[in-house]
């Protein structure tokens, strides 16, 4: 039996340190580890090993409905990774306005080919486009080679994801919105993307993690 | 996963001027994504049409799958330019998904929808 100690937590993942025991025990006991991960609502668990464990990989049959389960150890990175959950899609683009088309196409293709059949996906695509556009047009990169990462976890009834930039702090979920004024012709021409983002998402969050802004979001999907 | 719905197709913006019927507004058929790439193309075309003297334009959104906030802002600006000269832009063929966004931004009383 191994004893896990959680040392880090994010919306879709957590890091645990093996407080006692080792990799062999982890492999033998992975079902319990997987059950603990699911119990905690985690999609991805990283087990960082304390020493120079040898690299090895272990696979197991799905341990949860709709979830693939794999326990992987990468000794050279001192990490043991347990992944359980829904299909995960990620992309990284350069922080440049020209990347918006690439990102928009990726979002459209992933949702169209792997997402559930629902009109909600049209609005989710719009939300992701607006979030990315906001970062790429207005974000202030911390370096010349800054990147923007998008991750999506797709489920039949629930989609969640994250957007990680390398910019100065900015929280689009609490920032002041351009007012929706009447008459319409007196409105600013731009600045309504964040209205759309907040309206169509089920939940959202922001944290500044030292290297950039990490936005997390989710949307319930109707049939 | 189920197969995707037709309207989730990813397409670039396309615009086609349809042959004019006598006494009817000039009609532009739009398709694809009205976003940061499509919005300037539409604005340029609408200004060109206005310069040619057509003060009423019918925009057919039947092939449009996606309208970003910039696309909406561009439409508002263009409608303003047409109304300044007592013209108007009529919108037709908007999907329910796009209409929901218009409603959320309180635009349904502002735009002229084709009946």
């Amino acid at each position: 039996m191994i004893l896990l100690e959680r040392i880090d937590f994010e919306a879709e993942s957590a890091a645990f340190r093996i407080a006692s025991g080792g990799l062999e025990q982890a492999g033998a006991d992975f079902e319990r580890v997987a059950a603990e991960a699911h119990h905690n609502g985690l999609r991805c668990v990283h087990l960082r090993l304390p020493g120079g464990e040898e690299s090895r990989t272990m696979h197991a049959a799905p341990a949860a409905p709709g979830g693939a389960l794999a326990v992987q150890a990468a000794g050279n990175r001192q990490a043991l990774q347990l992944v359980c959950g829904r299909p995960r899609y990620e992309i990284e683009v350069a922080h440049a306005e020209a990347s918006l088309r690439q990102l928009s196409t990726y979002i459209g293709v992933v949702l169209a080919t792997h997402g559930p059949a629902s009109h909600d996906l049209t609005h989710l695509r719009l939300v992701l486009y607006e979030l990315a556009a906001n970062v790429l047009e207005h974000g202030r990169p911390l370096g010349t080679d800054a990147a923007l990462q998008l991750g999506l976890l797709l489920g039949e009834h629930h989609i969640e994801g994250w957007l990680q930039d390398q910019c100065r702090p900015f929280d689009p979920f609490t920032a002041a919105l351009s007012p929706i004024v009447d008459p319409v012709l007196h409105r600013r021409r731009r600045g309504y993307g964040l209205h759309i983002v907040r309206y169509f998402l089920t939940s959202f969050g922001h944290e500044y993690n030292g290297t950039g802004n990490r936005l997390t979001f989710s949307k319930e999907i109707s049939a | 996963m189920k197969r995707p719905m037709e309207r989730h197709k990813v397409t670039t913006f396309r615009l086609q001027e349809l042959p004019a019927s006598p006494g009817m507004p000039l009609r532009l058929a739009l398709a694809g994504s009205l976003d940061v790439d499509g919005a300037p193309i539409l604005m340029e075309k609408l200004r060109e049409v206005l310069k040619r003297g057509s003060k009423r334009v019918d925009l057919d959104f039947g092939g449009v799958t996606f309208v970003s906030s910039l696309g909406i802002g561009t439409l508002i600006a263009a409608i303003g330019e047409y109304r300044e000269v007592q013209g108007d832009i009529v919108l037709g063929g908007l999907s329910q998904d796009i209409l929901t966004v218009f409603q959320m931004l309180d635009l349904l009383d502002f735009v002229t929808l084709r009946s």
Side-chain angles (χ1 to χ4, degrees), chain A residues 106-133:
Chain A
Y106 178 82
I107 293 165
V109 168
V110 165
L111 293 180
T113 56
H114 300 287
S118 169
H119 283 284
D120 288 336
L121 292 198
T122 306
H123 293 141
L124 180 61
R125 182 184 167 206
L126 177 58
V127 163
L128 298 179
Y129 180 92
E130 297 293 346
L131 272 178

Side-chain angles (χ1 to χ4, degrees), chain A residues 100-101 108-109 112 114-119 121-123 125-126 129-130 154 156 180 184-185 187 189-190 192-193 195-196 199-200, chain B residues 1-5 7-10 33 35-37 65-70 73-74 76-77 80 97 100-101 104-107 110:
Chain A
L100 185 56
R101 178 184 290 179
V109 168
H114 300 287
S118 169
H119 283 284
L121 292 198
T122 306
H123 293 141
R125 182 184 167 206
L126 177 58
Y129 180 92
E130 297 293 346
L154 305 185
E156 281 287 327
I180 296 179
V184 173
L185 289 175
R187 294 183 190 180
R189 185 171 161 185
R190 305 187 70 162
Y192 302 102
H195 282 279
I196 292 170
Y199 183 84
F200 286 111
Chain B
M1 295 286 180
K2 298 170 192 167
R3 289 305 304 156
M5 298 169 72
R7 82 166 41 257
H8 294 149
K9 285 200 301 191
V10 181
S33 299
D35 54 15
V36 69
D37 294 318
T65 55
F66 177 83
V67 182
S68 73
S69 64
L70 178 62
T74 299
I76 293 173
D97 294 330
T100 301
V101 179
M104 191 270 288
L105 293 174
D106 205 12
L107 290 170
F110 170 74

Side-chain angles (χ1 to χ4, degrees), chain A residues 41-102:
Chain A
L42 302 176
R43 306 288 175 240
C44 182
V45 178
H46 302 272
L47 295 173
R48 293 173 190 164
L49 301 183
E53 297 274 5
E54 287 185 11
S55 174
R56 61 179 294 181
T57 302
M58 291 166 284
H59 295 281
L69 171 66
V71 179
Q72 294 182 313
N76 56 348
R77 289 186 297 171
Q78 306 295 300
L80 171 67
Q81 186 176 52
L82 168 68
V83 181
C84 46
R86 292 164 287 177
R88 175 173 170 151
Y89 303 89
E90 294 180 72
I91 185 174
E92 179 176 306
V93 296
H95 187 111
E97 288 193 29
S99 296
L100 185 56
R101 178 184 290 179
Q102 181 187 359

Side-chain angles (χ1 to χ4, degrees), chain A residues 168-176 194 198 204-207 213 215:
Chain A
R168 294 184 185 180
F170 177 75
D171 181 359
F173 302 131
T174 57
L194 295 184
R198 296 185 201 178
F204 42 74
H206 166 269
E207 68 171 10
N213 299 280
L215 311 178

